[in-house]
Amino acid sequence: VYTRRLRQAYPGYLNGYEVPFGVLDRWADSLPQMISYGRQGLFAHDNTHHALFMAYSAVECLKDGRFDEARWQAFREVFRTHVVED
């Protein structure tokens, strides 16, 4: 067993990270039949229950073999309200 202690486990946010994230997010959004979500996908500093909510939300958007993009975008707005709860 090997153990390594890290000073920081969450992603580090640098000033202005929103610009390169926006470029990547738009690129991912342009890919057919793909969604990006979760801590890494949305660069979201949130709790596990928020990540699970994102997954459940994605499932809610999938009906009859089709993905409801408008509903997903509405959920993305909800995801913006997630904050870490210690």
Side-chain angles (χ1 to χ4, degrees), residues 19-47:
V19 174
F21 167 74
V23 172
L24 287 171
D25 191 43
R26 285 187 296 279
W27 171 77
D29 197 37
S30 75
L31 300 173
Q33 299 182 347
M34 183 190 153
I35 60 170
S36 182
Y37 65 95
R39 284 183 177 181
Q40 285 72 28
L42 297 180
F43 210 62
H45 188 100
D46 58 8
N47 294 105

Side-chain angles (χ1 to χ4, degrees), residues 2 11 13 18-19 24 31 40 49 52-53 56 66 69 81:
Y2 176 78
Y13 294 93
E18 301 93 345
V19 174
L24 287 171
L31 300 173
Q40 285 72 28
H49 69 280
L52 290 170
F53 177 75
Y56 295 142
R66 295 184 163 249
E69 187 62 40
T81 67

